[in-house]
Amino acid sequence: MPLHPSQHPTRVVLADDHVLIRRSLRVLLESRGDVEVVGECGDGREVIALAERLKPDIVLMDLSMPELNGIEATRHIRQLCPSTRVIILTAAVATDQVREALRAGATGYIIKRSDIDELVLAVNLVRRGNTYFSSELAEKLDLVQLMAEAQQDDNRSDLDRLSPREREVLQL
């Protein structure tokens, strides 16, 4: 999708503990012309620092990373950088993980088996303020119900009741 002359490329930070995945995503996304990868990192603490420093439009975040997992990193990024949107990019398709990612503030959830066209579509839609889920998730899960559950304060999990520091200690 070509850019309007007044629109800057979508600024993206890649967060995955596998270097090969990050480098491949960088090449694929930047080949599209309307995405600029402004940073990449391999752990949850580093992605928070990058997001705070670089203020990207989108963070593509893996769930399983050292130091701090993708859900906790998403929670921190959404608090520190409210205009930065987070798309979870993972192999995990468990209902609980999708719900927790939404509760943390993720606005997209892409399965790593998706093709690059779907990922680019997700980036473009999320940048415009929409929510996006992989088509595979839409076929398997009741996404409307999951989103409603994620937004209900009285339906919080035990993990949500912990302070951010307590969640970090628990993860470690």
Side-chain angles (χ1 to χ4, degrees):
M1 181 179 305
L3 289 175
H4 185 273
S6 65
Q7 186 181 17
H8 68 82
T10 302
R11 300 175 72 250
V12 174
V13 166
L14 303 173
D16 194 299
D17 57 332
H18 297 97
V19 176
L20 182 62
I21 298 289
R22 291 195 316 262
R23 299 288 159 80
S24 299
L25 283 170
R26 175 185 284 270
V27 169
L28 289 168
L29 289 169
E30 288 184 340
S31 72
R32 298 302 172 123
D34 57 348
V35 174
E36 177 188 6
V37 176
V38 294
E40 58 179 78
C41 61
D43 73 64
R45 292 203 188 284
E46 191 177 356
V47 71
I48 294 166
L50 275 178
E52 194 170 20
R53 184 168 48 88
L54 299 173
K55 306 281 192 260
D57 300 308
I58 305 274
V59 172
L60 285 177
M61 176 94 66
D62 189 17
L63 283 181
S64 300
M65 291 188 296
E67 299 294 324
L68 204 59
N69 69 38
I71 289 173
E72 290 305 315
T74 297
R75 192 172 272 116
H76 285 282
I77 289 169
R78 294 296 294 146
Q79 289 173 350
L80 295 169
C81 312
S83 64
T84 297
R85 316 267 293 172
V86 177
I87 299 174
I88 301 297
L89 180 62
T90 185
V93 294
T95 303
D96 289 344
Q97 289 175 310
V98 176
R99 185 183 302 110
E100 290 305 313
L102 291 170
R103 278 189 181 138
T107 51
Y109 201 102
I110 304 292
I111 306 304
K112 285 185 176 177
R113 291 185 294 270
S114 302
D115 65 29
I116 188 63
D117 292 331
E118 185 172 23
L119 180 58
V120 169
L121 174 64
V123 167
N124 288 328
L125 289 173
V126 167
R127 180 181 183 199
R128 291 187 193 120
N130 298 300
T131 302
Y132 187 88
F133 297 93
S134 283
S135 55
E136 181 178 330
L137 284 176
E139 293 169 6
K140 293 181 179 181
L141 303 175
D142 183 350
L143 296 175
V144 173
Q145 178 66 30
L146 274 176
M147 289 174 65
E149 289 172 6
Q151 292 176 351
Q152 293 175 354
D153 281 342
D154 22 322
N155 193 21
R156 295 181 335 164
S157 71
D158 290 337
L159 186 62
D160 286 337
R161 292 184 179 105
L162 298 176
S163 72
R165 180 65 183 148
E166 289 170 328
R167 284 192 300 265
E168 287 179 36
V169 169
L170 179 63
Q171 181 183 331
L172 294 172

